[in-house]
Amino acid sequence: MKRVTLYVILLFAITAAASKSYGQWHNNRQLAITTTSLPGGTAGKAYSGRIAVTGGATPYTFLASGLPSGLSINGATGAISGTPAQSSVGTASAAFTVKDSTRPTPKSATAHLQIAIAASVAPTTLSITTVS
């Protein structure tokens, strides 16, 4: 019985040490934004994009500045969505920042990416002319 108890204690100690080492390694990885470009959009049409991140400790908090009018970022997921306004036609340079949950001081990373918004094209009116 003493041998079984000793093996259980030894197994528990090894498991605890391995878990602690993995946790420290996982949380010590450098926080980085891996998105290198964002899709273009069209004024008046739904837009969808996303900021991807690696490293650090989850959950993350996302912030953005300089987004085209009508677009916003989901602070918990990094999803960029909305309907670009006609006034946002052109290329906007937006700054994206992500903060992780490292304690006591969160890590952060920033990336500057461009979002091109094209003008919406009004449908042409179809007219039918009959000739007799």
Side-chain angles (χ1 to χ4, degrees), residues 56-110:
T58 58
Y60 302 122
T61 302
F62 294 87
L63 304 166
S65 63
L67 286 173
S69 179
L71 298 184
S72 62
I73 190 165
N74 181 307
T77 66
I80 304 163
S81 61
T83 303
Q86 193 65 37
S87 62
S88 63
V89 169
T91 302
S93 181
F96 298 93
T97 300
V98 61
K99 293 182 181 181
D100 75 353
S101 297
T102 301
R103 302 274 183 223
T105 305
K107 297 175 186 174
S108 67
T110 300

Coordinates of all heavy atoms in Angstrom, one line a residue, residues 56-110:
G56 N 0.8 35.4 -25.8 CA 0.2 36.1 -24.7 C -0.8 35.1 -24.0 O -0.7 33.9 -24.1
A57 N -1.6 35.7 -23.2 CA -2.6 35.0 -22.4 C -4.0 35.5 -22.7 O -4.3 36.7 -22.8 CB -2.3 35.2 -20.9
T58 N -4.9 34.5 -23.0 CA -6.3 34.9 -23.3 C -7.0 35.1 -22.0 O -6.6 34.6 -21.0 CB -6.9 33.7 -24.1 OG1 -6.9 32.5 -23.3 CG2 -6.3 33.5 -25.4
P59 N -8.1 35.9 -22.0 CA -8.7 36.5 -23.2 C -8.0 37.8 -23.6 O -7.3 38.4 -22.8 CB -10.2 36.8 -22.7 CG -10.0 37.0 -21.2 CD -8.9 36.0 -20.8
Y60 N -8.2 38.1 -24.9 CA -7.6 39.4 -25.4 C -8.7 40.5 -25.4 O -9.9 40.2 -25.4 CB -7.2 39.1 -26.9 CG -6.2 38.0 -27.1 CD1 -6.5 37.0 -27.9 CD2 -5.0 38.0 -26.4 CE1 -5.6 35.9 -28.1 CE2 -4.1 37.0 -26.6 CZ -4.4 35.9 -27.5 OH -3.5 34.9 -27.7
T61 N -8.2 41.7 -25.5 CA -9.0 42.9 -25.7 C -8.5 43.6 -26.9 O -7.3 43.9 -27.0 CB -8.9 43.8 -24.5 OG1 -9.3 43.1 -23.3 CG2 -9.8 45.0 -24.7
F62 N -9.4 43.9 -27.9 CA -9.0 44.5 -29.1 C -9.5 46.0 -29.2 O -10.6 46.3 -28.7 CB -9.6 43.8 -30.3 CG -9.1 42.4 -30.5 CD1 -9.7 41.3 -29.8 CD2 -8.0 42.2 -31.4 CE1 -9.2 40.1 -30.0 CE2 -7.6 40.9 -31.6 CZ -8.1 39.8 -30.9
L63 N -8.7 46.9 -29.7 CA -9.0 48.3 -29.9 C -8.6 48.7 -31.3 O -7.7 48.1 -31.8 CB -8.2 49.2 -28.9 CG -8.4 48.8 -27.4 CD1 -7.3 49.5 -26.5 CD2 -9.8 49.2 -26.9
A64 N -9.3 49.7 -31.8 CA -9.0 50.2 -33.2 C -9.2 51.7 -33.2 O -10.1 52.2 -32.6 CB -9.8 49.5 -34.2
S65 N -8.4 52.3 -34.0 CA -8.6 53.8 -34.3 C -8.3 54.0 -35.8 O -7.5 53.3 -36.4 CB -7.6 54.6 -33.4 OG -6.3 54.4 -33.8
G66 N -9.1 54.9 -36.3 CA -8.9 55.3 -37.7 C -9.7 54.4 -38.7 O -9.4 54.4 -39.9
L67 N -10.7 53.6 -38.2 CA -11.5 52.8 -39.0 C -12.4 53.7 -39.9 O -12.8 54.7 -39.5 CB -12.4 51.9 -38.2 CG -11.7 50.7 -37.5 CD1 -12.7 50.0 -36.6 CD2 -11.2 49.7 -38.6
P68 N -12.7 53.2 -41.1 CA -13.6 54.0 -42.0 C -14.9 54.1 -41.3 O -15.4 53.2 -40.5 CB -13.7 53.1 -43.2 CG -12.5 52.3 -43.3 CD -12.1 52.0 -41.8
S69 N -15.6 55.2 -41.5 CA -16.9 55.5 -41.0 C -17.9 54.4 -41.3 O -18.0 53.9 -42.4 CB -17.5 56.8 -41.5 OG -18.7 57.1 -41.0
G70 N -18.6 53.9 -40.2 CA -19.5 52.8 -40.4 C -19.0 51.5 -39.9 O -19.7 50.5 -39.8
L71 N -17.6 51.4 -39.7 CA -17.0 50.1 -39.3 C -16.7 50.2 -37.8 O -16.3 51.3 -37.3 CB -15.8 49.8 -40.1 CG -16.0 49.5 -41.6 CD1 -14.7 49.1 -42.2 CD2 -17.1 48.5 -41.9
S72 N -16.7 49.0 -37.1 CA -16.2 49.0 -35.7 C -15.6 47.6 -35.5 O -15.7 46.7 -36.3 CB -17.4 49.2 -34.8 OG -18.4 48.2 -35.0
I73 N -14.9 47.5 -34.4 CA -14.2 46.3 -34.0 C -14.9 45.7 -32.8 O -15.2 46.5 -31.8 CB -12.7 46.5 -33.8 CG1 -12.0 45.1 -33.7 CG2 -12.4 47.4 -32.6 CD1 -10.5 45.2 -33.8
N74 N -15.0 44.4 -32.7 CA -15.5 43.7 -31.5 C -14.4 43.6 -30.6 O -13.4 43.0 -30.9 CB -16.1 42.3 -31.9 CG -16.7 41.6 -30.8 OD1 -16.0 41.4 -29.7 ND2 -17.9 41.1 -30.9
G75 N -14.5 44.2 -29.4 CA -13.4 44.2 -28.4 C -13.0 42.9 -27.9 O -11.9 42.7 -27.4
A76 N -13.8 41.9 -28.0 CA -13.5 40.5 -27.5 C -13.0 39.6 -28.5 O -12.2 38.7 -28.2 CB -14.8 39.9 -26.8
T77 N -13.4 39.8 -29.8 CA -13.1 38.8 -30.8 C -12.1 39.3 -31.9 O -11.5 38.5 -32.6 CB -14.3 38.3 -31.6 OG1 -14.9 39.4 -32.3 CG2 -15.3 37.7 -30.6
G78 N -12.0 40.6 -32.1 CA -11.2 41.2 -33.1 C -11.9 41.2 -34.5 O -11.3 41.6 -35.5
A79 N -13.2 40.9 -34.5 CA -13.9 41.0 -35.8 C -14.2 42.4 -36.1 O -14.7 43.2 -35.2 CB -15.2 40.2 -35.6
I80 N -14.0 42.8 -37.4 CA -14.3 44.1 -37.8 C -15.6 44.0 -38.7 O -15.6 43.1 -39.6 CB -13.2 44.7 -38.7 CG1 -11.9 44.6 -37.9 CG2 -13.5 46.1 -39.2 CD1 -10.7 44.8 -38.7
S81 N -16.6 44.8 -38.4 CA -17.8 44.6 -39.2 C -18.5 46.0 -39.3 O -18.2 46.9 -38.6 CB -18.7 43.6 -38.6 OG -19.1 44.0 -37.2
G82 N -19.6 46.0 -40.1 CA -20.4 47.2 -40.3 C -20.6 47.4 -41.8 O -20.3 46.6 -42.6
T83 N -21.2 48.6 -42.0 CA -21.4 49.0 -43.4 C -20.7 50.3 -43.7 O -21.1 51.3 -43.1 CB -23.0 49.1 -43.7 OG1 -23.6 47.9 -43.3 CG2 -23.2 49.5 -45.1
P84 N -19.7 50.3 -44.5 CA -18.9 51.5 -44.7 C -19.8 52.6 -45.3 O -20.6 52.4 -46.2 CB -17.9 51.1 -45.7 CG -17.8 49.7 -45.6 CD -19.1 49.2 -45.2
A85 N -19.7 53.8 -44.8 CA -20.4 55.0 -45.3 C -19.8 55.5 -46.6 O -18.7 55.2 -46.9 CB -20.4 56.1 -44.3
Q86 N -20.7 56.1 -47.4 CA -20.2 56.7 -48.7 C -19.0 57.7 -48.4 O -18.1 57.8 -49.2 CB -21.4 57.4 -49.4 CG -21.1 57.7 -50.8 CD -20.8 56.5 -51.7 OE1 -21.5 55.5 -51.6 NE2 -19.9 56.6 -52.7
S87 N -19.1 58.4 -47.3 CA -18.0 59.3 -47.0 C -16.7 58.7 -46.7 O -15.6 59.3 -46.6 CB -18.4 60.2 -45.8 OG -18.6 59.3 -44.6
S88 N -16.6 57.3 -46.5 CA -15.4 56.6 -46.2 C -14.7 56.1 -47.4 O -13.7 55.3 -47.3 CB -15.6 55.6 -45.2 OG -16.5 54.6 -45.7
V89 N -15.2 56.4 -48.6 CA -14.5 55.9 -49.9 C -13.1 56.4 -49.9 O -12.8 57.5 -49.7 CB -15.3 56.4 -51.1 CG1 -14.5 56.1 -52.4 CG2 -16.7 55.7 -51.1
G90 N -12.2 55.4 -50.2 CA -10.8 55.7 -50.3 C -10.1 54.6 -49.4 O -10.6 53.6 -49.1
T91 N -8.8 54.9 -49.1 CA -8.0 54.0 -48.3 C -7.8 54.6 -46.9 O -7.2 55.7 -46.8 CB -6.7 53.6 -49.0 OG1 -7.0 53.1 -50.3 CG2 -5.9 52.7 -48.2
A92 N -8.2 53.9 -45.9 CA -7.9 54.3 -44.5 C -6.8 53.5 -43.9 O -6.7 52.3 -44.1 CB -9.2 54.2 -43.7
S93 N -6.0 54.2 -43.1 CA -4.9 53.6 -42.4 C -5.4 53.5 -40.9 O -5.6 54.5 -40.3 CB -3.6 54.3 -42.5 OG -2.6 53.7 -41.8
A94 N -5.6 52.3 -40.5 CA -6.2 52.1 -39.1 C -5.1 51.4 -38.2 O -4.3 50.6 -38.7 CB -7.4 51.2 -39.2
A95 N -5.1 51.8 -36.9 CA -4.2 51.2 -36.0 C -5.0 50.3 -35.1 O -6.1 50.6 -34.6 CB -3.6 52.3 -35.1
F96 N -4.5 49.1 -35.0 CA -5.1 48.0 -34.2 C -4.2 47.6 -33.0 O -3.0 47.4 -33.2 CB -5.4 46.8 -35.0 CG -6.3 47.1 -36.2 CD1 -5.9 47.4 -37.4 CD2 -7.7 47.0 -36.0 CE1 -6.7 47.7 -38.5 CE2 -8.6 47.3 -37.0 CZ -8.1 47.6 -38.3
T97 N -4.8 47.6 -31.8 CA -4.0 47.2 -30.6 C -4.7 46.0 -30.0 O -6.0 46.0 -29.9 CB -3.9 48.4 -29.7 OG1 -3.2 49.5 -30.3 CG2 -3.1 48.0 -28.4
V98 N -4.0 45.1 -29.5 CA -4.5 44.0 -28.8 C -3.8 43.9 -27.4 O -2.6 44.2 -27.4 CB -4.4 42.6 -29.5 CG1 -2.9 42.2 -29.8 CG2 -5.1 41.5 -28.7
K99 N -4.5 43.7 -26.4 CA -3.9 43.5 -25.0 C -4.3 42.1 -24.5 O -5.5 41.7 -24.8 CB -4.5 44.6 -24.1 CG -4.0 46.0 -24.4 CD -4.5 47.0 -23.4 CE -4.0 48.4 -23.9 NZ -4.4 49.4 -22.9
D100 N -3.4 41.5 -23.8 CA -3.7 40.1 -23.3 C -4.1 40.2 -21.8 O -4.2 41.3 -21.3 CB -2.6 39.2 -23.6 CG -1.4 39.3 -22.7 OD1 -1.3 40.3 -21.9 OD2 -0.5 38.5 -22.8
S101 N -4.2 39.1 -21.2 CA -4.6 39.0 -19.8 C -3.4 38.6 -18.8 O -3.6 38.1 -17.7 CB -5.7 38.0 -19.6 OG -6.8 38.4 -20.3
T102 N -2.2 38.9 -19.3 CA -1.0 38.6 -18.4 C -1.1 39.4 -17.2 O -1.4 40.6 -17.2 CB 0.3 38.9 -19.2 OG1 0.3 38.1 -20.4 CG2 1.5 38.6 -18.3
R103 N -0.9 38.8 -16.0 CA -0.9 39.5 -14.7 C 0.5 39.6 -14.2 O 1.3 38.7 -14.4 CB -1.7 38.7 -13.7 CG -3.1 38.5 -14.2 CD -4.0 39.7 -13.8 NE -5.4 39.4 -14.2 CZ -6.2 40.2 -14.7 NH1 -5.7 41.4 -15.0 NH2 -7.4 39.9 -15.1
P104 N 1.0 40.7 -13.6 CA 0.2 41.8 -13.2 C 0.1 42.9 -14.3 O -0.7 43.8 -14.3 CB 0.9 42.4 -12.0 CG 2.3 42.0 -12.2 CD 2.3 40.7 -13.0
T105 N 1.0 42.8 -15.4 CA 1.0 43.8 -16.4 C 0.7 43.1 -17.8 O 1.4 42.3 -18.3 CB 2.4 44.4 -16.5 OG1 2.7 44.9 -15.2 CG2 2.4 45.5 -17.5
P106 N -0.5 43.5 -18.4 CA -0.9 42.9 -19.7 C 0.2 43.3 -20.7 O 0.7 44.4 -20.7 CB -2.2 43.5 -20.0 CG -2.7 44.0 -18.7 CD -1.5 44.4 -17.9
K107 N 0.4 42.4 -21.7 CA 1.2 42.6 -22.8 C 0.3 43.3 -23.9 O -0.9 43.1 -23.9 CB 1.8 41.3 -23.4 CG 2.7 40.6 -22.4 CD 3.1 39.3 -23.0 CE 3.9 38.5 -22.0 NZ 4.2 37.1 -22.5
S108 N 0.9 44.0 -24.8 CA 0.2 44.6 -25.9 C 1.0 44.5 -27.2 O 2.2 44.5 -27.2 CB -0.3 46.0 -25.6 OG 0.9 46.9 -25.5
A109 N 0.3 44.6 -28.3 CA 0.9 44.6 -29.6 C 0.0 45.5 -30.5 O -1.2 45.6 -30.3 CB 0.9 43.2 -30.2
T110 N 0.7 46.2 -31.4 CA 0.0 47.1 -32.3 C 0.4 46.9 -33.8 O 1.5 46.6 -34.0 CB 0.3 48.6 -31.9 OG1 -0.1 48.8 -30.6 CG2 -0.4 49.6 -32.9

